[in-house]
RNA sequence: GCCCGAAUGGCGGAACUGGUAGACGCAAGGGACUUAAAAUCCCUCGGCCUCUGGCUGUGCGAGUUCGAUUCUCGCUUCGGGCACCA
């Protein structure tokens, strides 16, 4: 459809939207400061990466947030609603290389463009608080937090196997590897040995897990995902003596009750004890060959495929401390060095994986836990039995129930000094080193004399070098820039080298929500007073794809910042709304699929208000939104209908027919009732479940009622009365969080240019006014609807039953059969059972 | 494999605590206005039948109940998460 054609049928959204955006900007309408008189409300949408242009996912996310912000303001809250840019990251480097420019330039150009797009949407942000994470004024504080964490022992460096993405040319955190694939570029990730910096998120594993219980305002799904990700298991860590060497083999098990069923031992190919085991061992070459092959296979294999279970006998034995039994030690390809102790006690009778392994290598299977009324025989078993039961063949523990035996066996090991209760987590420490240019430099120095030294806080920020002599792109990694590397040791003053890794961009987004409380503060990362006033975020809104990554890291940082004395809260986000994706033609909108709808085109054609309205109307926020261009037109038509109606309405001040409820005629009563029913419905929809789609439907119904009672324009004489004005005002206020320009404009049409809809407060419904005078009662015979009867609302059940039983149609269905029972549901229905 | 979630007209989606299934919108069909079209307005719109009425219908199969989209059990399909986790 051409713009011209649309113009003919539309209200002049372009000039209206420009007018109101200018007003809001000039008056700084959404600037916010601490106000002790009013309750605070902090609503935040996940800030965007400045990729170039706003997409429909952003429009949806920010429209939802803006409704919440505007609604809360009308409810009298002092609302903090900030916006900023998650502006470090790889795409900037790629674009810089492609266009021969500097990533900073590309990034800031994008920010400027996208800020303009957001303003065009009429989003009510406090732009004075805008931050960009690539600005040294932001990452300087991040470097300081890093140093304070280092001092607290929460940062360390280690050489370890890391996830390397060759296509992004950098290391990735575990959370950024999805099914063995890089979260950003979809290329497979390889294992590599490298030196890198880590945050000790595992120190907070228990608290991160426990506090999930507090997050009643989060979707269960996200809480569950985090719980699984942290992956806590409790059990026994137990030492087995190894025959012939002076070393112990330590295992971890969640099933200590099966320890008398151990028939072999599986250790990881990387296990450090292996060297000792292979000394003077005739099988050395054979075993070494196996481990070498397995390790290579593991590195090549993406962790998605389950590889065939394989193992090799080392020819060595260890001893079960509980019964002195000799146990062969195998190296197995499925044992992970990173989890537990890298060694597993194998109980084939009660673990399916061990069972298969035992069958393959013809190892003994010994059943020790007998489920109720069974007597398992290891030789005859066809699969492992994982059910609880009574312990057999288990020495002094025989006869005890398996769940009780767990604690007793752990206690026994503890008393005898060969084991203890142990908790392990799946969660790994967060590797934050990135070998890329466009990120916050890690503020550390390597001195040959003094070792690793932190950059003194008064020397912050360590800024990215910008040798912009040439017009060339400038993304050379830091380790290739001698001018950056060379420095002096802060301790001894001799020549030393700077750390050349930059921080994972998820570090920036882990605390930005706190910085918004005092974005220009220059004494420390956070102004404690401001932070304690505004935080936690009352409502956080964003895509579910961040369920683990960003949301887990932010929770971790909140606890760290608390322990560093900056925050007084335990959890950053009280309520979380995860919105669904925007779908077109069955798949997510993306450039590669060529199914993107550019929000700017929509704004040009229909205006920001229609664009916002549709994104809210088409589906409830947590569901995926199917894009339907015709649906947009439907929303546009709805606004046009209201516009036309209000255009023909006389100014409120000229209304002479001011009526009080007790003077209402039937039509006025009906409209008045609908007004209050709508206020109730919309308020509940926004307040409790963010179902904006049904909120909008309710307003549509109110408008439909209005026009069916008074005609599609209000030219008629009788339309000019106070109830009609109330209806229109209600429609405008209820819709104003969703279509703010439109409602602001029409409000001034009714009340004059000085009047502002935003200074009004959200309407309250009168419960009494929502009550129907007459009810439609359904009459069922044997559960089937046979008739509907109109009765006064205050009818009692006996009278209702009486009327129902006289209904002609009902009598027809009862015929000459006897009535067994009559069920009357107050104000709803009568069911006659025959 | 384990753990979550979902399934309702041609489509997006409604339905409070077990009580009128399909609100609202889109699409479609018919009509009014118009020289005509667009826009606007009005009507119809789950399926079937013997059509002022009736039967049937919320993924499938059972169950509880006077009554089930809603609760229970067993499946199917789709989506999401975790996955040699010891």
């Amino acid at each position: 459809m051409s713009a011209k054609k649309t113009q003919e049928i539309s209200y002049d959204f372009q000039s209206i939207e420009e007018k109101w955006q200018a007003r809001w900007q000039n008056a700084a309408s959404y600037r916010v400061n601490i106000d002790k008189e009013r309750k605070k409300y902090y609503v935040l949408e996940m800030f965007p990466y400045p990729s170039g242009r706003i997409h429909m996912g952003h429009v949806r996310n920010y429209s939802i947030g803006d409704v919440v912000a505007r609604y809360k303001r009308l409810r009298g809250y002092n609302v903090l609603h900030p916006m900023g840019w998650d502006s470090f990251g790889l795409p900037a480097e790629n674009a810089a290389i492609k266009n021969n420019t500097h990533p900073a330039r590309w990034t800031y150009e994008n920010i400027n463009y996208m800020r303009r797009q957001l303003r065009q949407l009429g989003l009510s942000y406090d732009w004075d608080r805008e931050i960009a994470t690539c600005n040294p004024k932001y990452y300087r504080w991040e470097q300081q937090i890093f140093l304070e964490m280092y001092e607290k022992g929460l940062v360390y460096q280690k050489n370890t196997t890391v996830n390397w993405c060759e296509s992004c040319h950098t290391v990735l955190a575990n959370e950024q590897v999805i099914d063995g694939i890089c979260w950003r570029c979809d290329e497979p990730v390889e294992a590599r040995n490298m030196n890198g910096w880590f945050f000790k998120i595992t120190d907070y594993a228990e608290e991160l897990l426990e506090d999930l219980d507090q997050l009643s305002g989060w979707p269960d799904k996200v809480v569950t995902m985090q719980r699984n990700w942290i992956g806590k298991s409790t059990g026994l860590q137990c030492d087995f003596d190894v025959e012939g060497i002076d070393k112990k083999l330590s295992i971890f098990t969640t099933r200590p009750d099966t320890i008398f069923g151990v028939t072999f031992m599986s250790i990881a190919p990387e296990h450090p004890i292996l060297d000792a085991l292979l000394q003077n061992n005739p099988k050395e070459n054979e075993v070494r060959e196996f481990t070498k092959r397995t390790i290579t296979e593991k590195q090549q294999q993406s962790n998605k495929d389950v590889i065939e279970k394989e193992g090799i006998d080392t020819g060595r034995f260890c001893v079960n401390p509980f019964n002195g039994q000799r146990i062969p030690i195998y190296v197995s390809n499925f044992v992970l060095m990173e989890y537990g102790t890298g060694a597993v006690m194998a109980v084939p009778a009660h673990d399916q994986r061990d069972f298969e392994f035992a069958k393959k290598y013809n190892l003994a299977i010994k059943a020790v836990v007998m489920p109720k009324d069974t007597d398992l025989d290891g030789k005859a078993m066809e699969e492992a039995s994982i059910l609880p039961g009574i312990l057999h063949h288990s020495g002094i523990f025989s006869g005890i129930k398996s769940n009780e035996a767990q604690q007793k066996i752990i206690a026994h090991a503890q008393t005898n000094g060969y084991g203890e209760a142990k908790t392990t987590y799946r969660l790994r420490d967060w590797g934050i080193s990135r070998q890329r240019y466009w990120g916050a430099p890690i503020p550390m120095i390597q001195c040959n004399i003094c070792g690793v030294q932190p950059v003194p806080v008064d020397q912050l920020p360590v800024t990215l070098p910008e040798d912009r002599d040439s017009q060339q792109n400038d993304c050379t990694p830091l380790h290739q820039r001698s001018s950056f590397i060379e420095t002096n040791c802060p301790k001894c003053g001799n020549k030393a080298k700077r750390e050349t890794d930059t921080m994972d961009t998820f570090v920036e987004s882990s605390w930005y929500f706190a910085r918004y409380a005092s974005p220009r503060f220059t004494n420390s990362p956070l102004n404690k007073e401001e932070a304690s006033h505004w935080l936690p975020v009352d409502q956080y809104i964003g895509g579910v794809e961040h369920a683990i990554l960003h949301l887990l890291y932010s929770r971790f940082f909140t606890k760290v910042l608390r322990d560093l004395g900056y925050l007084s809260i335990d959890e950053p986000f009280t309520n979380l709304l995860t919105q669904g994706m925007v779908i077109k033609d069955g798949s997510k909108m993306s450039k590669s699929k060529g199914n993107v709808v550019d929000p700017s085109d929509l704004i040009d054609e229909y205006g920001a208000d229609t664009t916002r309205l549709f994104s809210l109307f088409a589906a409830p926020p947590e569901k995926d939104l199917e894009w339907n261009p015709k649906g947009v037109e439907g929303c546009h038509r709805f606004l046009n209908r209201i516009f036309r109606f209000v255009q023909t309405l006389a100014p409120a001040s000229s209304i002479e027919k001011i009526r009080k409820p007790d003077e209402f005629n039937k039509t006025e009563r009906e409209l008045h009732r609908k007004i209050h029913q709508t206020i109730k419905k919309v308020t509940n929809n926004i307040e409790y479940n963010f179902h904006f789609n049904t909120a909008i439907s309710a307003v549509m119904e109110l408008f439909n009622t209005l026009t069916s009672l008074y005609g599609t324009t209000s030219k008629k004489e009788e339309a000019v009365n106070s109830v009609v004005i109330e209806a229109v005002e209600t429609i405008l206020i209820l819709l104003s969080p969703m279509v703010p320009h439109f409602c602001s404009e029409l409000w001034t049409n009714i009340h004059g240019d000085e009047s502002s809809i935003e200074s009004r407060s959200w309407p309250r419904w009168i419960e009494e006014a929502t009550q129907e005078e007459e009810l439609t009662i359904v009459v069922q015979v044997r559960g089937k609807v046979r008739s509907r009867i109109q009765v006064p609302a205050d009818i009692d059940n006996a009278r209702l039953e009486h009327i129902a039983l006289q209904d002609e149609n009902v009598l027809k269905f009862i015929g000459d059969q006897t009535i067994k029972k009559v069920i009357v549901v107050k104000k709803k229905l009568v069911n006659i059972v025959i």
Side-chain angles (χ1 to χ4, degrees):
Chain A
M1 196 188 284
S2 73
K4 198 182 164 205
K5 199 162 128 195
T6 320
Q7 293 280 310
E8 291 168 6
I9 61 158
S10 302
Y11 68 96
D12 186 3
F13 53 80
Q14 201 181 336
S15 66
I16 291 173
E17 289 174 4
E18 277 173 12
K19 168 182 159 187
W20 287 96
Q21 282 160 22
R23 280 200 190 184
W24 295 329
Q25 189 170 346
N26 294 337
S29 306
Y30 308 113
R31 183 186 291 160
V32 67
N33 290 303
I34 290 182
D35 176 354
K36 302 275 189 220
E37 301 298 306
R38 286 183 297 162
K39 275 183 91 173
K40 72 97 184 177
Y41 193 87
Y42 184 0
V43 54
L44 182 66
E45 301 104 61
M46 291 180 185
F47 65 166
Y49 177 77
S51 56
R53 301 174 75 84
I54 296 291
H55 56 68
M56 284 313 301
H58 292 130
V59 172
R60 191 177 191 202
N61 192 178
Y62 304 147
S63 297
I64 293 167
D66 205 44
V67 174
V68 176
R70 289 178 181 274
Y71 168 75
K72 288 289 176 183
R73 276 190 210 104
L74 290 168
R75 292 299 298 255
Y77 287 86
N78 188 33
V79 174
L80 173 58
H81 189 212
M83 180 40 76
W85 311 94
D86 188 13
S87 51
F88 269 138
L90 202 51
E93 286 188 45
N94 294 339
I97 292 163
K98 196 172 152 199
N99 308 324
N100 241 344
T101 178
H102 191 273
R105 193 171 152 188
W106 182 86
T107 302
Y108 281 110
E109 276 171 8
N110 286 347
I111 288 175
N112 288 334
Y113 187 84
M114 290 169 76
R115 186 192 301 110
R116 204 159 56 235
Q117 287 188 302
L118 292 184
R119 282 191 196 259
Q120 276 180 3
L121 279 166
L123 302 165
S124 61
Y125 295 123
D126 178 356
W127 284 105
D128 290 349
R129 292 177 187 258
E130 178 181 357
I131 53 179
T133 58
C134 65
N135 190 324
K137 286 176 182 161
Y138 181 83
Y139 70 73
R140 182 225 180 283
W141 302 113
E142 185 164 303
Q143 290 172 334
Q144 184 168 330
I145 294 168
F146 179 97
L147 293 173
E148 290 181 30
M149 287 172 74
Y150 179 75
E151 221 159 279
K152 271 214 145 200
L154 289 170
V155 178
Y156 67 99
Q157 200 178 18
K158 72 174 169 187
N159 196 306
T160 182
T161 311
V162 292
N163 311 298
W164 176 264
C165 175
E166 182 56 33
S167 128
C168 296
H169 221 84
T170 189
V171 167
L172 300 172
N174 286 356
E175 289 79 5
Q176 292 164 338
V177 182
I178 294 142
D179 289 341
I181 302 284
C182 171
W183 70 288
R184 187 193 288 114
C185 69
D186 287 345
E187 293 293 324
V189 169
E190 7 172 324
R192 234 188 220 201
N193 244 13
M194 274 184 86
N195 205 25
W197 290 94
F198 287 81
F199 282 154
K200 256 192 186 169
I201 192 170
T202 52
D203 272 12
Y204 287 82
E206 188 59 36
E207 200 195 337
L208 286 167
L209 184 70
E210 267 179 17
D211 287 357
L212 286 173
D213 293 338
Q214 292 179 25
L215 300 178
S216 56
W218 283 38
D220 292 344
K221 188 181 159 185
V222 176
V223 171
T224 310
M225 281 166 70
Q226 293 218 354
R227 187 166 284 129
N228 291 340
W229 187 261
I230 295 167
K232 179 181 181 175
S233 330
T234 54
L236 167 71
Q237 184 166 327
C238 185
D239 296 334
F240 284 48
D241 285 325
V242 182
E243 270 185 13
I245 57 171
D246 191 23
K247 280 199 167 144
K248 291 184 193 282
L249 190 53
S250 188
I251 58 95
F252 171 72
T253 179
T254 54
R255 291 292 306 273
D257 52 316
T258 64
I259 200 151
F260 286 84
V262 176
T263 56
F264 64 99
M265 189 66 76
S266 283
I267 67 169
E270 304 92 338
H271 201 290
I273 205 169
L274 205 57
D275 284 335
L277 292 179
L278 294 179
Q279 249 178 19
N280 306 322
N281 187 332
K283 298 186 95 171
E284 174 166 7
N285 289 341
E286 203 188 329
V287 175
R288 289 240 187 254
E289 204 175 296
F290 174 82
T291 55
K292 202 176 148 197
R293 177 165 61 86
T294 319
I295 291 169
T296 336
E297 274 175 8
K298 244 188 196 174
Q299 285 177 353
Q300 286 165 352
Q301 217 91 29
S302 72
N303 19 346
K304 202 179 178 179
D305 337 289
V306 173
I307 49 172
E308 163 94 22
K309 282 169 200 53
E310 272 190 278
I312 189 166
D313 188 359
T314 61
R316 307 294 293 254
F317 289 84
C318 60
V319 178
N320 186 339
F322 280 83
N323 57 8
Q325 201 165 17
R326 288 181 84 220
I327 292 162
I329 304 173
Y330 275 69
V331 177
S332 309
N333 65 348
F334 62 86
V335 179
L336 305 172
M337 195 57 227
E338 314 85 73
Y339 185 80
T341 60
V344 185
M345 65 173 214
V347 187
H350 304 295
D351 180 287
Q352 186 58 25
R353 215 179 26 218
D354 295 341
F355 184 85
E356 285 164 26
F357 195 90
K359 281 285 178 201
K360 182 167 178 176
Y361 293 102
N362 212 6
L363 295 155
I365 299 170
K366 182 183 170 193
V368 291
V369 177
M370 306 300 169
K372 213 181 166 199
D373 305 325
T374 60
D375 187 19
L376 297 172
D377 174 14
K379 290 190 191 91
M381 288 170 80
E382 278 170 12
E383 57 176 4
S385 158
I386 54 167
L387 297 171
I390 306 291
L391 264 60
H392 281 50
H393 317 298
S394 299
I396 57 167
F397 301 100
S398 295
I400 300 176
K401 280 188 197 153
S402 52
N403 54 353
E404 289 167 22
Q406 300 205 344
Q407 289 317 310
K408 291 191 171 157
I409 285 174
I410 291 171
H412 189 261
Q414 214 145 3
T415 326
N416 290 283
Y418 47 72
E420 59 185 355
K422 176 91 180 171
T423 302
T424 59
Y425 299 90
R426 213 188 72 101
L427 182 71
R428 300 270 78 88
D429 276 336
W430 175 12
I432 57 146
S433 277
R434 297 292 178 271
Q435 293 69 34
R436 303 295 313 198
Y437 170 78
W438 192 232
I442 292 175
M444 299 299 283
I445 291 166
Q446 173 71 44
C447 171
N448 283 337
I449 301 157
C450 312
V452 173
Q453 292 296 319
V455 173
V457 170
D458 59 16
Q459 287 177 26
L460 294 181
V462 177
T463 52
L464 286 170
E466 295 187 38
D467 319 315
R468 273 194 274 184
D469 306 336
S470 62
Q471 287 298 303
Q472 295 294 302
N473 77 69
D474 201 13
C475 310
T476 314
L478 299 179
H479 65 268
Q480 290 170 23
R481 295 169 183 259
S482 50
S483 61
F484 176 82
I485 297 170
E486 284 163 19
T487 187
N488 296 317
C489 171
K491 199 171 174 190
C492 68
N494 285 307
K495 286 214 159 148
K497 290 180 174 175
R498 281 192 193 283
E499 169 61 57
T500 56
D501 284 348
T502 50
M503 283 190 245
D504 182 0
T505 55
F506 277 91
V507 180
E508 283 89 65
S509 54
S510 297
W511 69 286
Y512 78 108
F513 51 88
R515 182 71 185 170
Y516 277 138
S518 51
R520 309 285 173 256
F521 194 56
T522 51
N523 298 344
S524 79
L526 301 173
N527 175 329
K528 288 176 201 171
E529 189 202 345
E530 300 262 1
S532 75
H533 179 263
W534 289 112
L535 290 167
V537 175
D538 294 280
Q539 182 66 55
Y540 198 36
I541 306 161
V544 72
E545 64 273 17
H546 294 104
I548 294 172
L549 280 162
H550 163 59
L551 291 169
L552 184 66
Y553 294 151
S554 298
R555 295 182 60 225
F556 165 58
F557 252 72
T558 301
K559 293 169 194 301
V560 169
L561 289 169
R562 175 200 62 196
D563 293 344
L564 292 174
Y566 289 113
L567 296 178
S568 47
I569 50 165
D570 299 321
E571 286 289 336
F573 313 122
T574 308
N575 295 292
L576 173 69
L577 176 62
T578 50
Q579 111 246 7
M581 291 183 297
V582 180
I583 302 284
K584 186 159 182 277
D585 311 322
S587 54
K588 187 183 177 177
M589 278 191 187
S590 73
K591 264 187 211 157
S592 58
K593 292 196 182 93
N595 60 350
V596 280
V597 174
D598 190 331
S600 289
D601 293 347
L602 276 169
I603 294 170
D604 290 347
E605 196 168 334
Y606 298 103
D609 283 328
T610 298
T611 307
R612 293 169 56 129
L613 189 67
F614 176 72
S615 78
L616 296 163
F617 179 62
E622 68 278 6
K623 273 201 168 186
D624 286 348
L625 184 155
E626 174 71 35
W627 188 260
N628 173 6
K630 294 286 189 182
V632 182
E633 282 179 40
C635 286
H636 197 55
R637 274 203 287 268
F638 170 58
L639 294 182
N640 270 313
R641 281 204 298 271
I642 297 177
F643 192 85
R644 281 196 302 273
F645 187 91
V646 176
Q647 285 304 296
T648 57
L649 201 66
S653 56
S654 70
I655 300 297
E656 285 169 8
K657 290 183 189 167
I658 302 199
R659 296 225 172 83
K660 295 197 169 91
D662 52 2
E663 302 165 353
F664 286 167
N665 61 31
K666 191 163 183 278
T667 312
E668 289 158 354
R669 276 204 305 276
E670 190 179 339
L671 182 58
H672 188 253
R673 188 183 315 125
K674 190 73 183 173
I675 290 168
H676 285 265
Q677 287 171 340
T678 307
I679 296 170
K680 182 177 180 178
K681 175 125 205 250
V682 172
T683 307
N684 288 336
N685 277 159
I686 296 180
E687 188 75 36
Y688 299 114
N689 53 15
F690 304 117
H691 282 186
F692 309 116
N693 56 333
T694 49
I696 295 166
S697 298
V699 179
M700 286 173 168
E701 281 188 57
L702 171 57
F703 184 68
N704 289 348
T705 303
L706 177 62
T707 54
S708 72
L709 294 173
Y710 289 96
T712 53
T713 62
S714 50
K715 273 179 189 152
K716 289 182 197 164
E717 178 74 6
E718 64 266 29
V720 191
N721 70 49
S722 56
V723 191
V724 171
I725 294 290
E726 189 188 349
V728 172
E729 286 181 348
T730 304
I731 289 169
L732 294 180
I733 296 181
L734 296 182
L735 281 182
S736 68
M738 306 166 200
V739 287
H741 318 84
F742 179 87
C743 295
S744 298
E745 179 69 19
L746 290 187
W747 188 267
T748 59
N749 281 6
I750 305 172
H751 290 287
D753 209 35
E754 324 68 51
S755 174
S756 151
I757 194 167
E758 292 179 301
S759 62
R760 279 304 185 101
S761 54
W762 189 259
R764 292 185 184 281
W765 74 89
I766 302 162
E767 186 60 37
E768 201 190 336
T770 65
Q771 304 298 319
E772 299 284 348
E773 298 163 33
E774 257 198 343
L775 299 172
T776 306
I777 301 293
V778 170
V779 187
Q780 298 180 329
V781 178
R782 251 203 286 182
K784 288 191 179 178
V785 181
R786 294 303 177 190
S787 184
R788 295 182 170 87
I789 52 178
Q790 292 292 118
V791 297
D794 54 1
I795 193 166
D796 62 66
N797 286 358
R799 176 90 189 123
L800 186 58
E801 183 177 336
H802 181 75
I803 297 173
L805 285 168
Q806 311 223 309
D807 187 273
E808 215 178 293
N809 210 29
V810 170
L811 287 172
K812 204 171 92 194
F813 277 91
I814 297 172
D816 50 5
Q817 300 180 75
T818 342
I819 295 166
K820 285 185 191 151
K821 198 167 29 161
V822 178
I823 288 144
V824 183
V825 181
K826 204 180 162 197
K827 296 189 175 182
K828 288 239 165 77
L829 93 169
V830 178
N831 188 8
I832 299 154
V833 188
I834 50 174

